[in-house]
Amino acid sequence: MGSASDIPVIEKGVKVLDELGIPYEVAIASAHRTPRDVEGYAVNAAQRGIEVLIAAAGLSAALPGVVAAATGLPVIGIPVKGGALDGLDALLSVTQMPPGVPVGSVGLNASLNACLLAVRIISIHDKDLTKKLEEWTKKRSIAVAESRSKLADLPAAPEEAYRI
Ligand code: RP5
């Protein structure tokens, strides 16, 4: 992430990595304030065994693009909400990369989706992880189905309406 102020955003997403038993590390380096650290980290990542990089930054969020320019690994950018434009600036900075330097962007502050996308990428050649991820996703879908019980005072759709 670009700053320690981004920690709360990242913390929410990485819980799923803990749940799935995926090793990860967290780094702070700023594309504008400590650019040499960003480049060093990105250049070293592949040889250190890292398979996917997630870069979170707010304001004029150059971090994901700078990381993507310095590594061949997949980079997922998280635009962080905040500042005078409330994250619109970060969203555009992360998504509008020039051709040839790809950054996969998730929504504002969407660190859970960034982590899940990273898991999908690394699970392509890992059947055990694919299964774990399927089970995790199934649990979430059961929770959504169970939440229908909260419709008790409303004209709820019957269960068969959802069946394929
Ligand atoms: C970005 O600027 C960081 O990623 C952070 O989201 C934002 C504000 O940084 P701080 O001023 O809180 O360090 O580089």
Side-chain angles (χ1 to χ4, degrees):
M1 66 197 91
S3 166
S5 66
D6 301 321
I7 290 173
V9 172
I10 289 299
E11 275 178 336
K12 284 190 188 138
V14 295
K15 282 182 192 153
V16 72
L17 303 179
D18 294 324
E19 286 168 31
L20 295 169
I22 295 169
Y24 63 94
E25 66 180 19
V26 181
I28 298 176
S30 164
H32 298 113
R33 294 162 173 163
T34 60
R36 286 170 64 83
D37 287 355
V38 171
E39 187 175 10
Y41 188 87
V43 166
N44 293 329
Q47 71 201 37
R48 294 184 56 239
I50 290 169
E51 295 180 353
V52 181
L53 288 158
I54 297 173
L59 303 179
S60 177
L63 183 64
V66 171
V67 169
T71 179
L73 293 172
V75 177
I76 301 167
I78 307 174
V80 174
K81 263 173 86 80
L85 301 182
D86 206 19
L88 181 60
D89 39 5
L91 182 65
L92 297 178
S93 299
V94 174
T95 55
Q96 293 301 107
M97 288 297 298
V101 189
V103 169
S105 176
V106 293
L108 286 167
N109 285 7
S111 61
L112 174 62
N113 272 358
C115 291
L116 287 172
L117 185 53
V119 175
R120 285 189 182 202
I121 292 168
I122 63 173
S123 71
I124 289 172
H125 299 296
D126 184 336
K127 282 190 180 137
D128 289 345
L129 184 54
T130 302
K131 199 159 171 38
K132 269 194 207 171
L133 183 57
E134 280 169 4
E135 280 160 12
W136 186 93
T137 306
K138 197 170 172 190
K139 268 192 212 157
R140 297 268 293 199
S141 63
I142 289 170
V144 172
E146 284 175 352
S147 72
R148 291 175 198 144
S149 63
K150 294 183 181 141
L151 294 171
D153 297 334
L154 293 165
E159 276 306 305
E160 54 269 26
Y162 300 100
R163 305 276 172 262
I164 295 175

